Amino acid sequence: MRDEIEQKTGHRCGLYASSIRYDDEQQRRMEKTVARIAPYVDEHYWLPLYGQAGLTSGARGTVPTAGNQGRIGALRKPLPCWSLFTEGHITFDGRLSACCFDHDGRFNMGNLTQVSFMQAWHSEPFQKLRLANLVEDVRGTVCEKCIAYEDAPGVQPAAPVGAVV
C-alpha cells in the first residue's frame, strides 16, 4: 500500500512508533520492547514527557514540557504546534484528530468514514486551529490547555507581546 501511495502521489508514507522518555531508568526498561517493535516500523523515536493535553501535569512529581515540542534531539518552541501542519492522527474509530494526545475526541477535525482525508485535513475547523497556532494565540481553542501552558515558565496560550487581539 505504501508503495502504491508513493507512486500515485509522490509522497512516501511511514509507520512510526514513539516512546516517552521521562527518566533514564524508564528508557532502560523500554529498550527490550523498543527492540521488538523496531523491525516492524520505519522509525522509533523518543519523546519528552508531555502533559498529555494537561492530564499528567505534575503526576508522580514529573515536570512535563509545555506544548508539543517534538522529538528528543529536535525540540521546537511549543507554538505554533508543528504537528498540526505535518501529521495526520487517526483515532481508533476513524476520525482525523488534530493532536496525537487526543484520547477523548476533543480534537476531532473530521469523520473519515464520511469525508475524505483531504477534506478533513483542509476543513474549516482545522484551518482555524492552525491559524490560531500561527499567530500564537490559542486561547479559546482545544489547544489552550495543552500541557497546562499557564504552568510553563515563559510559555502562554495568549498572543505575543504587541499583537492585536
Side-chain angles (χ1 to χ4, degrees), residues 10-91:
H11 299 284
R12 180 109 176 127
C13 297
L15 182 61
Y16 302 91
S18 61
S19 301
I20 297 172
R21 182 189 183 279
Y22 54 89
D23 64 27
D24 292 336
E25 181 182 334
Q26 180 268 345
Q27 183 173 350
R28 280 192 297 276
R29 287 193 317 264
M30 288 291 298
E31 291 298 333
K32 286 183 184 179
T33 301
V34 169
R36 289 178 62 194
I37 294 167
Y40 303 100
V41 298
D42 295 299
E43 180 183 355
H44 171 273
Y45 54 90
W46 291 95
L47 297 169
L49 176 65
Y50 301 126
Q52 304 294 331
L55 298 173
T56 64
S57 186
R60 297 185 195 163
T62 60
V63 181
T65 64
N68 185 345
Q69 295 183 10
R71 302 171 182 183
I72 291 178
L75 297 177
R76 301 169 170 97
K77 68 180 192 167
L79 288 174
C81 178
W82 60 275
S83 182
L84 290 173
F85 301 89
T86 61
E87 298 182 349
H89 303 280
I90 301 171
T91 63

Side-chain angles (χ1 to χ4, degrees), residues 22 24 43 58-60 80 100-101 105 116 124-125 128 133 135 138 142:
Y22 54 89
D24 292 336
E43 180 183 355
R60 297 185 195 163
C100 60
F101 302 136
S116 73
E124 185 176 342
K128 285 182 177 180
N133 269 259
V135 299
V138 295
V142 292

Side-chain angles (χ1 to χ4, degrees), residues 79 136-139 143-145 149-150 155-159:
L79 288 174
E136 298 182 11
D137 184 358
V138 295
R139 292 174 294 179
C143 296
E144 183 173 22
K145 296 290 183 192
Y149 284 114
E150 60 273 4
V155 179
Q156 297 296 317

Side-chain angles (χ1 to χ4, degrees), residues 104-146:
D104 61 7
R106 73 177 109 163
F107 296 92
N108 177 26
M109 296 293 129
N111 185 339
L112 299 180
T113 66
Q114 298 172 357
V115 300
S116 73
F117 177 87
M118 293 308 285
Q119 286 173 310
W121 183 258
H122 294 293
S123 68
E124 185 176 342
F126 222 150
Q127 295 303 320
K128 285 182 177 180
L129 190 58
R130 288 183 182 120
L131 180 59
N133 269 259
L134 284 173
V135 299
E136 298 182 11
D137 184 358
V138 295
R139 292 174 294 179
T141 73
V142 292
C143 296
E144 183 173 22
K145 296 290 183 192
C146 184

